Amino acid sequence: MPPGAVIGIVGGGQLGRMAAMAAARLGYLVHVYDPVARGPAAQVSAFDTVAGFDDVRALRRFAASVDVVTFEFENVPAAGLEALEGARPVRPGAAVLRISQDRVLEKTFLNGIGVATAPWVAVDNAPWLAAAVERLGVPCVLKTTRLGYDGKGQAVIRAAGEAAGAFERLAPKPLVLEGFVDFACEISVVVARGADGTVVAFDPVENRHKDHILDMTLAPAQLPAEVLAEATRVARLVAEKLELVGVLAVEMFVTADGGILVNEIAPRPHNSGHWTIDACPVSQFEMFIRAVAGLPLPPAVRHHDAVMKNLVGPEGMADWDAILGTPGLIAHHYGKDLARPGRKMGHFTKLFPKGGLPGALGVEDGLRLVRD
Ligand code: AMP
């Protein structure tokens, strides 16, 4: 796609915003499609359509006005994107979206290509649950198959007696039961695959959560080289087998013995890849735009180590002025006006020389803010 072409992005949150900024740098215009007006992405885009994700007529009109369609939000109905596939290229395709939207399809796909996950059982009704809990043992984790994010739509079952209550509470059904993974740490790998089949992978990173929401990403993950290599191999394999054109994040658990189990995949730029904006010559957002626009993908190299810290809700934003006043912190604001609890409002990155990421305690120290 030549500069001046229009990239249509379905979904208008911070991922769309940072993608639109990367698109602008390459000379593209962005048209955002979102039900809410003047959101994070629309604020920095040339065009926007305000309409529902299930409004097929509005989606068709939107597709007709752009050169390629992509998405930054996984819970877009795949049927809506499918309806556009004849009109314009949709990258990644609706088939990829369909797999990543449904935990049972996702795990079936992953296991089918030889990628390990936690043991799991699909649970369509309450009587099945009792048998599933017996099979996997406690503790185990019951999750909605669809529409879960940031720990929403899941419950840990610590005793068989808790299962029926958890089944009642969780919606929408159907559900999936997973064995509880006693992980040593959580990591993710962001990979990009171009229209020509080139696959590039950013270094695996460690993700630390607070209240089920990503709090901090450490790049690179401080793990043995063989574990990092295996994580990268798995992420590349997933992108290849999906025939992805775009960017994909693969979230994984690392077990005490260094084994890797995939938790979930997201076929779009990912919060755990935000550090790449500041620590890499080509960020996950530029890789995403390049893939969608059919441009070549350069290597996903890192010129610094980095820590990314999310600013979540009113507590996160209470630090904004101190972050701006602290040398060495690179601040990113998503342009959202209301800091509701749990809402991702922005993030900041701190860079370290390559190989110079401080140890566990040093990380907190390195992020210390300058206050009056
Ligand atoms: P998810 O919505 O699947 O990304 O899960 C959110 C978080 O819950 C993960 O990042 C883990 O910290 C935790 N979690 C999810 N599934 C499991 C599991 N099977 N065993 C242990 N912890 C889990």
Side-chain angles (χ1 to χ4, degrees):
M1 270 171 42
V6 181
I7 298 177
I9 303 181
V10 181
Q14 63 268 18
L15 302 176
R17 179 185 181 92
M18 291 181 270
M21 288 157 79
R25 218 172 61 153
L26 296 175
Y28 297 120
L29 300 173
V30 165
H31 185 155
V32 170
Y33 185 106
D34 195 86
V36 179
R38 279 196 290 283
Q43 291 167 21
V44 299
S45 296
F47 313 106
D48 71 321
T49 293
V50 180
F53 291 130
D54 52 3
D55 184 341
V56 173
R57 278 183 57 190
L59 277 167
R60 287 219 171 100
R61 225 176 306 126
F62 161 76
S65 73
V66 303
D67 294 295
V68 63
V69 176
T70 187
F71 52 86
E72 61 94 73
F73 175 66
E74 258 148 278
N75 293 327
V76 180
L81 285 188
E82 234 154 50
L84 306 184
E85 277 186 325
R88 288 290 182 274
V90 177
R91 293 173 172 162
V96 172
L97 184 64
R98 221 174 251 289
I99 290 174
S100 66
Q101 280 177 337
D102 182 305
R103 290 187 195 269
V104 169
L105 290 183
E106 187 175 277
K107 291 175 197 301
T108 304
F109 163 78
L110 290 168
N111 296 160
I113 61 168
V115 170
T117 57
W120 60 276
V121 182
V123 177
D124 289 3
N125 56 50
W128 290 16
L129 178 59
V133 172
E134 196 157 314
R135 195 162 129 204
L136 297 186
V138 287
C140 49
V141 188
L142 189 61
K143 299 182 179 179
T144 60
T145 301
R146 303 174 64 82
L147 301 175
Y149 67 100
D150 287 347
K152 293 190 175 61
Q154 57 179 274
V156 177
I157 296 173
R158 298 192 185 279
E162 295 172 11
F167 183 87
E168 283 311 309
R169 276 197 307 280
L170 288 178
K173 311 275 192 294
L175 307 177
V176 58
L177 188 72
E178 292 177 19
F180 188 88
V181 181
D182 188 16
F183 53 80
C185 69
E186 293 188 79
I187 63 169
S188 58
V189 180
V190 173
V191 281
R193 183 171 175 276
D196 65 355
T198 306
V199 177
V200 298
F202 289 100
D203 289 313
V205 296
E206 180 184 340
N207 298 317
R208 297 185 184 167
H209 297 83
K210 210 186 255 176
D211 302 329
H212 293 288
I213 300 175
L214 182 66
D215 175 45
M216 207 188 269
T217 294
L218 281 66
Q222 307 292 293
L223 290 167
E226 340 49 284
V227 178
L228 300 178
E230 175 60 7
T232 303
R233 184 193 71 79
V234 165
R236 297 178 66 101
L237 177 71
V238 173
E240 271 156 15
K241 294 290 185 188
L242 281 174
E243 295 181 21
L244 174 92
V245 178
V247 160
L248 171 84
V250 182
E251 294 182 56
M252 313 172 194
F253 300 123
V254 180
T255 57
D257 59 0
I260 283 179
L261 302 172
V262 170
N263 178 29
E264 60 179 356
I265 62 176
R268 51 163 174 78
H270 193 258
N271 196 168
S272 68
H274 291 359
W275 63 277
T276 61
I277 299 175
D278 302 309
C280 301
V282 178
S283 72
Q284 66 162 348
F285 296 102
E286 182 170 336
M287 289 294 184
F288 174 55
I289 294 299
R290 280 174 171 256
V292 168
L295 301 185
L297 298 189
V301 290
R302 180 182 101 251
H303 51 67
H304 277 81
D305 289 1
V307 177
M308 188 281 319
K309 170 108 174 139
N310 266 342
L311 302 175
V312 178
E315 313 86 67
M317 287 321 288
D319 286 336
W320 183 249
D321 288 344
I323 292 161
L324 292 178
T326 303
L329 301 187
I330 307 170
H332 297 256
H333 195 290
Y334 302 154
K336 300 178 186 177
D337 47 4
L338 205 60
R340 283 194 299 271
R343 196 173 194 208
K344 290 174 181 167
M345 302 299 293
H347 71 269
F348 69 87
T349 313
K350 174 152 179 160
L351 299 180
F352 297 87
K354 257 181 123 170
L357 201 63
L361 292 172
V363 167
E364 297 286 345
D365 233 28
L367 303 186
R368 202 170 295 270
L369 304 176
V370 174
R371 295 183 190 279
D372 295 335

